[in-house]
Amino acid sequence: MVLNLLFITTVIKSTFGVVTTGLWLIPLLLAAITYYRYDAVDPESRPLDQLNLWPEYDFIVVGSGSAGAVVANRLSEVRKWKVLLIEAGPDENEISDVPSLAAYLQLSKLDWAYKTEPSTKACLGMQNNRCNWPRGRVLGGSSVLNYMLYVRGNRHDYDHWAALGNPGWDYEQVLHYFKKSEDNRNPYLSKSGYHGRGGLLTVQESPWHTPLVAAFVEAGTQLGYDNRDINGAQQAGFMIAQGTIRRGSRCSTAKAFLRPIRQRPNFHLSMNSHVTRVIIEPGTMRAQAVEFVKHGKVYRIAARREVILSAGAINTPQLMMLSGLGPSKHLQQHGIRVLQDLPVGENMQDHVGMGGLTFLVDKPVAIVQDRFNPTAVTFQYVLRERGPMTTLGGVEGLAFVHTPYSNRSIDWPDIQFHMAPASINSDNGARVKKVMGLKESIYQEVYHPIANKDSWTIMPLLLRPRSRGTVRLRSANPFHYPLIDANYFNDPLDAKTLVEGAKIALRVAEAEVFKQFGSRLWRKPLPNCKQHKFLSDAYLECQVRTISMTIYHPCGTAKMGPSWDPEAVVDPRLRVYGVRGLRVIDASIMPTISSGNTNAPVIMIAEKGADLIKEDWLHNPEYKVKRQDSQGYTRHGKSDNRLIDCPCDDNRDAALSVH
């Protein structure tokens, strides 16, 4: 027991940098100890970090997040294919299992901890006018850091993708891949034609709710919106949130897709491995190998068939540009040889929301951290898989509504609500303000006076932003973080749409059903917005630009499109234009952002992308050519550059991808 306690204390220290004091340390320790013991006997235990890598694999997948874990699983189903999955971070730890502790993973060593560049149009209430952009640097990627919300988006999103020149990406065809992954454990949904049973990814409601979420859903009906399955036939409406949880704990893509295949002989995983570039042979323009650094050593591993970039909408374009694929002028500025001039890093989109709406209630029905008995809450979670620790990062309700800027004649809402039975004040400034990056002066003036008081919030977010941002290299050093320009509200209509969403949120909060709790808006104005009449359009726009919050959904930086689209980086089969043997399979390929949380759509993209690879290599004659001798690269340490023979099966065809 003492050894376990010491081990878990080390885990918490390594994750958060410090061990916090106070009663909340107790449930962290108890939950972590329990899950540490559980993993020790779990038949689907943690994947193994392969130390003895082969010099060559058929497929190399870069990034083990919501996409990469799925791709590696599906490709390794073909026994004759050798698959290597490379992840920059470590494995998940015990803290990531607990759904309610999602915020504690952000800004930890499991997070790339990116920040946007300073802005004069958004993030004005954040330190240095920069928004925090969490991205998972861990096995399972951002599916380990996110709030686990399972939202597929709108059918019109995917029909629009197909209309842009991407055949096979319409809603009817992608629905198959949503259902393929899913194991929906809600009886009233799982038998519908829109959900799957028996997939690897568990989806269900949190087993614990506050009464506020029921009031939220009922308030929606009073405004004329149905209580419906937002992942079903129609989207506009209100619903208790569903998430990727299993037995009350987070179900990341690492748990769902990698643990079951940990003993496949044709699958290798290399963690703590920072990829620095994809090696592309200039003459043939073929992706030959991947170079990465692990424990201070440089490795160069050859790809017999393809390299798949699944590093996410920030790291994938960064890696492409470091490898010579991107805007020629930008690459030349950093002394990088241009192999293919492509609009990499353009077209970046994200869901931006307005934070800060806070409604106080008189009854003790909200989540107030200091009120919970730590021991009781922990044992409720550990022994019964229930209780407040199972909440989806604190979010309980979801809704999709129309503003006057949307076309009500079709079911394609332009605003989404996240409802939470807590707000910025609910933890006495311990974590939420840090995760947001909120300026201390704003917190002290507006939210500190109501610290630890029962409250709830609605956060409206913009579903289809018109503004576009960019990802650029800071330098040619692969260990330097990229420059992220979110460019929020560059199109003024984005801010105006979000203002209309905030006005609808206020109407929801004024519904009769909330009066039973004594619910009322906290009317303390933001200090930099006092010149405007409180709750006027001008004031709300000021709040939109002040407490601008990413919903952690960057995408679009390696756009999918037909050959005649000048903004396209990959074709509809996700192959990079002008480069053989290289694909992108992650959120980067989205032509336009999906209308809702992006984790489920990225998993869908990975399922479909893996099938596209199988179709090409197993059924397309162009992908089977005369066998050639194949050589792989590996380099350990500083200078070993020798070519060595590939230990591959000589009976296999050495196939080169042909576009």
Side-chain angles (χ1 to χ4, degrees):
M1 179 68 177
V2 174
L3 291 176
N4 283 346
L5 184 62
L6 290 173
F7 171 79
I8 298 305
T9 303
T10 302
V11 169
I12 296 174
K13 281 184 177 179
S14 66
T15 304
F16 305 123
V18 295
V19 176
T20 57
T21 58
L23 293 177
W24 274 97
L25 180 59
I26 298 173
L28 286 176
L29 289 173
L30 292 175
I33 290 168
T34 300
Y35 275 77
Y36 171 62
R37 288 178 170 174
Y38 170 78
D39 278 338
V41 298
D42 184 2
E44 292 184 357
S45 190
R46 297 176 180 275
L48 303 175
D49 185 13
Q50 182 62 237
L51 300 179
N52 298 314
L53 297 172
W54 297 324
E56 183 181 62
Y57 293 81
D58 290 285
F59 296 94
I60 299 177
V61 183
V62 179
S64 71
S66 297
V70 178
V71 173
N73 179 299
R74 298 309 187 189
L75 293 184
S76 62
E77 289 174 341
V78 182
R79 294 183 180 181
K80 69 178 182 179
W81 288 349
K82 295 180 179 179
V83 178
L84 173 63
L85 176 62
I86 304 176
E87 169 55 45
D91 197 359
E92 302 170 271
N93 61 35
E94 287 68 23
I95 308 304
S96 66
D97 271 356
V98 186
S100 67
L101 298 183
Y104 284 82
L105 300 169
Q106 296 176 21
L107 304 180
S108 75
K109 292 183 178 180
L110 305 184
D111 179 10
W112 286 99
Y114 291 134
K115 293 181 182 292
T116 61
E117 292 302 293
S119 173
T120 59
K121 299 176 181 177
C123 308
L124 304 181
M126 311 308 180
Q127 296 173 16
N128 301 316
N129 292 12
R130 304 177 73 187
C131 278
N132 289 341
W133 268 31
R135 294 283 87 198
R137 191 175 190 266
V138 58
L139 201 65
S142 294
S143 75
V144 175
L145 268 63
N146 69 6
Y147 284 20
M148 295 147 282
L149 300 171
Y150 185 81
V151 180
R152 293 177 174 176
N154 191 289
R155 68 166 58 235
H156 296 290
D157 297 329
Y158 306 108
D159 289 342
H160 181 56
W161 290 7
L164 292 174
N166 298 294
W169 291 91
D170 59 276
Y171 178 72
E172 291 302 324
Q173 296 195 58
V174 303
L175 178 60
H176 162 74
Y177 290 105
F178 280 118
K179 294 166 64 176
K180 179 179 180 180
S181 297
E182 187 182 14
D183 181 21
N184 195 297
R185 297 188 179 180
N186 283 82
Y188 64 94
L189 294 181
S190 59
K191 295 181 180 179
S192 78
Y194 291 92
H195 291 280
R197 288 295 304 272
L200 295 173
L201 184 73
T202 306
V203 177
Q204 60 187 99
E205 291 177 6
S206 168
W208 184 89
H209 302 118
T210 70
L212 290 166
V213 69
F216 172 74
V217 173
E218 186 174 341
T221 63
Q222 293 179 14
L223 266 67
Y225 286 94
D226 290 334
N227 174 13
R228 71 165 79 255
D229 174 14
I230 57 170
N231 293 314
Q234 292 180 286
Q235 186 183 50
F238 285 60
M239 183 184 185
I240 294 176
Q242 290 203 310
T244 51
I245 58 173
R246 178 186 296 166
R247 301 189 298 271
S249 297
R250 177 189 296 272
C251 182
S252 68
T253 55
K255 288 188 181 70
F257 293 92
L258 295 181
R259 293 193 182 191
I261 67 169
R262 61 188 294 269
Q263 294 184 329
R264 281 183 185 170
N266 63 331
F267 169 69
H268 280 174
L269 166 67
S270 183
M271 290 186 279
N272 299 299
S273 304
H274 189 121
V275 176
T276 55
R277 63 173 175 145
V278 177
I279 299 170
I280 300 169
E281 205 284 316
T284 62
M285 285 301 294
R286 182 182 183 275
Q288 292 185 324
V290 170
E291 185 177 271
F292 60 93
V293 177
K294 179 174 184 174
H295 303 318
K297 294 182 179 180
V298 179
Y299 294 77
R300 191 180 293 180
I301 306 294
R304 184 179 176 91
R305 298 174 190 262
E306 287 192 23
V307 174
I308 298 101
L309 298 181
S310 298
I314 307 301
N315 295 80
T316 285
Q318 180 190 24
L319 186 55
M320 293 181 75
M321 289 185 281
L322 290 169
S323 306
L325 311 175
S328 58
K329 291 183 179 179
H330 178 63
L331 300 188
Q332 290 166 358
Q333 289 173 355
H334 293 293
I336 298 173
R337 180 182 180 183
V338 180
L339 297 179
Q340 189 72 21
D341 186 3
L342 291 169
V344 173
E346 304 283 349
N347 190 51
M348 187 174 71
Q349 299 154 65
D350 182 39
H351 289 139
V352 60
M354 185 189 87
L357 284 179
T358 301
F359 306 95
L360 299 176
V361 292
D362 293 330
K363 294 183 179 181
V365 292
I367 296 177
V368 177
Q369 181 170 299
D370 289 353
R371 185 173 62 226
F372 289 122
N373 181 299
T375 304
V377 167
T378 300
F379 276 104
Q380 190 179 15
Y381 170 67
V382 171
L383 300 179
R384 300 185 60 229
E385 300 170 354
R386 294 180 179 276
M389 297 182 83
T390 66
T391 60
L392 304 173
V395 176
E396 289 194 325
L398 297 173
F400 291 85
V401 300
H402 290 275
T403 74
Y405 293 105
S406 69
N407 183 356
R408 283 180 170 268
S409 66
I410 59 175
D411 178 51
W412 206 1
D414 55 348
I415 290 289
Q416 180 182 357
F417 291 154
H418 286 82
M419 175 269 167
S423 192
I424 298 172
N425 58 292
S426 299
D427 65 350
N428 198 22
R431 193 68 191 169
V432 175
K433 71 173 183 181
K434 296 177 182 178
V435 169
M436 293 173 60
L438 191 67
K439 291 177 179 177
E440 186 65 26
S441 58
I442 291 179
Y443 178 81
Q444 289 297 329
E445 180 169 342
V446 181
Y447 299 103
H448 181 69
I450 54 172
N452 284 328
K453 292 189 179 296
D454 281 80
S455 61
W456 65 283
T457 188
I458 299 177
M459 186 170 63
L461 68 89
L462 182 67
L463 285 175
R464 290 185 296 284
R466 297 163 180 83
S467 305
R468 297 290 186 268
T470 59
V471 174
R472 290 285 181 262
L473 295 178
R474 189 177 300 273
S475 74
N477 186 332
F479 297 96
H480 286 174
Y481 282 6
L483 298 172
I484 302 171
D485 181 8
N487 205 27
Y488 291 143
F489 310 128
N490 183 61
D491 188 318
L493 197 55
D494 286 349
K496 294 183 183 302
T497 304
L498 206 42
V499 166
E500 294 299 323
K503 289 156 72 172
I504 299 172
L506 290 168
R507 293 205 298 272
V508 171
E510 292 169 356
E512 183 71 24
V513 66
F514 282 112
K515 293 182 179 179
Q516 62 182 306
F517 305 111
S519 178
R520 72 273 184 195
L521 177 68
W522 174 240
R523 302 181 70 85
K524 185 74 172 178
L526 296 172
N528 61 312
C529 301
K530 289 180 178 178
Q531 69 273 27
H532 306 296
K533 181 182 177 182
F534 189 65
L535 298 188
S536 65
D537 283 13
Y539 178 87
L540 291 175
E541 181 166 343
C542 182
Q543 182 162 341
V544 161
R545 295 180 182 275
T546 300
I547 308 185
S548 319
M549 294 182 60
T550 178
I551 317 299
Y552 323 129
H553 300 159
C555 66
T557 48
K559 179 184 177 183
M560 173 177 65
S563 59
W564 45 261
D565 182 352
E567 297 180 345
V569 174
V570 301
D571 69 13
R573 300 189 74 80
L574 310 184
R575 301 171 297 192
V576 176
Y577 280 112
V579 185
R580 298 191 296 164
L582 182 64
R583 298 196 203 218
V584 175
I585 303 180
D586 60 25
S588 306
I589 67 98
M590 291 187 180
T592 54
I593 194 167
S594 59
S595 299
N597 306 70
T598 53
N599 190 50
V602 170
I603 293 171
M604 175 276 291
I605 289 169
E607 289 279 21
K608 182 173 174 62
D611 264 10
L612 292 175
I613 293 173
K614 288 178 178 178
E615 289 173 7
D616 285 341
W617 287 99
L618 297 176
H619 305 295
N620 188 343
E622 292 183 350
Y623 280 73
K624 294 187 180 298
V625 298
K626 183 178 179 180
R627 184 185 181 281
Q628 301 174 6
D629 289 336
S630 177
Q631 291 180 311
Y633 299 88
T634 186
R635 185 172 68 190
H636 303 273
K638 296 181 179 179
S639 59
D640 187 1
N641 240 345
R642 297 171 298 167
L643 296 177
I644 63 176
D645 291 334
C646 169
C648 303
D649 181 0
D650 286 340
N651 293 324
R652 292 187 303 163
D653 287 338
L656 302 177
S657 64
V658 178
H659 287 198

